[in-house]
Amino acid sequence: MSETPILVVGGAGYIGSHTCLALAKRGFLPIVYDNLSNGHGEFVKWGPLEQGDIRDRARLDEVLAKHKPAAILHFAALIEVGESVKDPVAFYENNVIGSLTLLAAAQAAGIKAFVFSSTCATYGLPDAVPMDETHRQSPINPYGRTKWMVEQALKDYDQYTGFRSVILRYFNAAGADFEGRIGEWHTPETHAIPLALEAALGRRDGFKVFGSDYDTRDGTCVRDYIHVLDLADAHVRAVEYLLNDGASVELNLGTGTGTTVKELLSTIEKVSGRPFPVEYAARREGDSTTLVANNDKARDVLGWSPQYTLEDIIRSAWAWHSTSNLVSQS
């Protein structure tokens, strides 16, 4: 039996590449479509690479006609919140116009299943935690707004054209493949775990904590860290759900457990065995005190539940960063 092709747009990136690994394990053939602006050709290991941009309709049409995928997973977005404030135009061009171009190509090709990589940033500052999918959406930066706009388009496409999708709102993706084949590699790096690991490895002078006077158990922000392989598993389940005629739905992907920055740093020190300098700085504007997912709906709809602990996340990330010799730019 031939493997069912799935188009993974942005499949050379961090979460996309881990999802390709999960798809291949589940008997699918991941076709990666990526312009390699943020992705890595070395991460394309489980199927062919088709180079192209999501704003290039002719190239999308060509790849869809060639591979005839049963579903599309869409990871191709600019994600750095700070950059979205500095250059909102790039975010609207890629994340909104690019997504709408991809959706038009998908509909023209007769695709019936579409999984969209969204974010808890669409909620904005939380009214209450843990946050479920009924929480109001009021994003506070251009990145969150671009993701929210695509969500609105998908809901309209479902209601008025019958185009079905699963919207997956991630909390804090982290960790790496346990065999060390792929991992987190951003340039510049802005995520807490790789930055702290680089400090432990001596590749950075130390780690900066923004805010130590929050109303939390130790004064530092609380975040919900979810292993990238758990995210990948949810994406494969979402594809299977849609291919089995599941209805459009939006789902949170998080563990439901919050970790403070101090707890995160102590776990990193424990796993690495290497203490590193920590500097405390003022809060950053727009940072929420606590962001934790209610993931009950994903359990109910997809039968999904996270398998990995915070220590698993750190162990896998430490193995990747300590052997990959990657040095990201500050």
Side-chain angles (χ1 to χ4, degrees):
M1 188 180 94
S2 62
E3 298 166 305
T4 303
I6 305 293
L7 190 69
V8 185
V9 181
Y14 173 43
I15 301 171
S17 61
H18 286 83
T19 301
C20 288
L21 165 61
L23 284 165
K25 280 185 174 174
R26 213 82 132 238
F28 293 101
L29 175 65
I31 315 293
V32 172
Y33 184 88
D34 202 300
N35 66 6
L36 301 182
S37 61
N38 291 309
H40 309 284
E42 310 96 296
F43 282 8
V44 182
K45 298 173 183 282
W46 295 279
L49 169 65
E50 295 283 3
Q51 216 164 323
D53 193 283
I54 52 172
R55 293 163 290 188
D56 185 343
R57 175 64 192 273
R59 179 69 177 133
L60 285 167
D61 288 343
E62 181 187 344
V63 169
L64 287 165
K66 176 180 174 183
H67 293 284
K68 298 181 174 53
I72 294 176
L73 293 114
H74 176 23
F75 297 96
L78 300 177
I79 62 166
E80 215 281 291
V81 171
E83 286 302 312
S84 81
V85 175
K86 291 180 199 162
D87 188 6
V89 174
F91 278 69
Y92 280 90
E93 284 183 349
N94 185 88
N95 295 5
V96 179
I97 294 171
S99 295
L100 296 178
T101 306
L102 174 62
L103 283 167
Q107 287 191 295
I111 300 290
K112 302 293 186 200
F114 190 92
V115 179
F116 177 55
S117 165
S118 193
T119 169
C120 65
T122 64
Y123 294 125
L125 300 173
D127 294 331
V129 287
M131 304 160 83
D132 69 17
E133 292 81 359
T134 65
H135 189 287
R136 64 172 175 78
Q137 289 183 284
S138 185
I140 60 169
N141 51 58
Y143 164 65
R145 277 190 282 277
T146 60
K147 290 287 194 174
W148 177 80
M149 284 181 171
V150 178
E151 286 197 14
Q152 300 312 299
L154 286 169
K155 289 177 182 181
D156 280 342
Y157 288 19
D158 176 52
Q159 184 171 350
Y160 301 110
T161 73
F163 184 83
R164 291 177 302 113
S165 63
V166 173
I167 292 165
L168 298 174
R169 295 180 188 143
Y170 313 161
F171 281 67
N172 289 60
D177 163 43
F178 286 95
E179 293 181 33
R181 293 165 288 188
I182 49 178
E184 191 164 9
W185 179 9
H186 299 117
T187 305
E189 186 55 74
T190 60
H191 293 168
I193 290 174
L195 290 176
L197 291 171
E198 288 179 3
L201 286 161
R203 297 175 187 169
R204 285 177 182 272
D205 293 338
F207 183 86
K208 189 176 282 190
V209 177
F210 294 98
S212 56
D213 58 351
Y214 284 97
D215 183 18
T216 62
R217 52 188 172 266
D218 62 22
T220 60
C221 287
V222 172
R223 293 294 180 266
D224 187 338
Y225 295 96
I226 176 85
H227 200 291
V228 66
L229 292 176
D230 281 327
L231 286 181
D233 174 51
H235 285 78
V236 179
R237 288 170 183 265
V239 168
E240 292 169 342
Y241 164 83
L242 288 170
L243 294 179
N244 288 319
D245 297 323
S248 292
V249 67
E250 61 269 9
L251 303 169
N252 285 340
L253 296 181
T255 63
T257 302
T259 301
T260 70
V261 179
K262 283 184 178 176
E263 289 164 351
L264 179 70
L265 296 178
S266 70
T267 306
I268 288 170
E269 201 167 296
K270 174 184 164 190
V271 168
S272 69
R274 300 194 191 183
F276 51 92
V278 175
E279 175 192 343
Y280 288 88
R283 296 183 185 194
R284 288 183 299 200
E285 187 182 352
D287 272 353
S288 295
T289 302
T290 303
L291 290 173
V292 177
N294 176 321
N295 60 16
D296 292 348
K297 193 174 175 185
R299 291 173 193 265
D300 293 344
V301 172
L302 300 180
W304 172 85
S305 60
Q307 301 301 304
Y308 299 108
T309 65
L310 179 68
E311 197 161 309
D312 294 329
I313 287 171
I314 303 304
R315 284 191 189 287
S316 64
W318 173 250
W320 162 254
H321 283 276
S322 57
T323 58
S324 62
N325 296 317
L326 301 173
V327 180
S328 63
Q329 297 168 5
S330 297

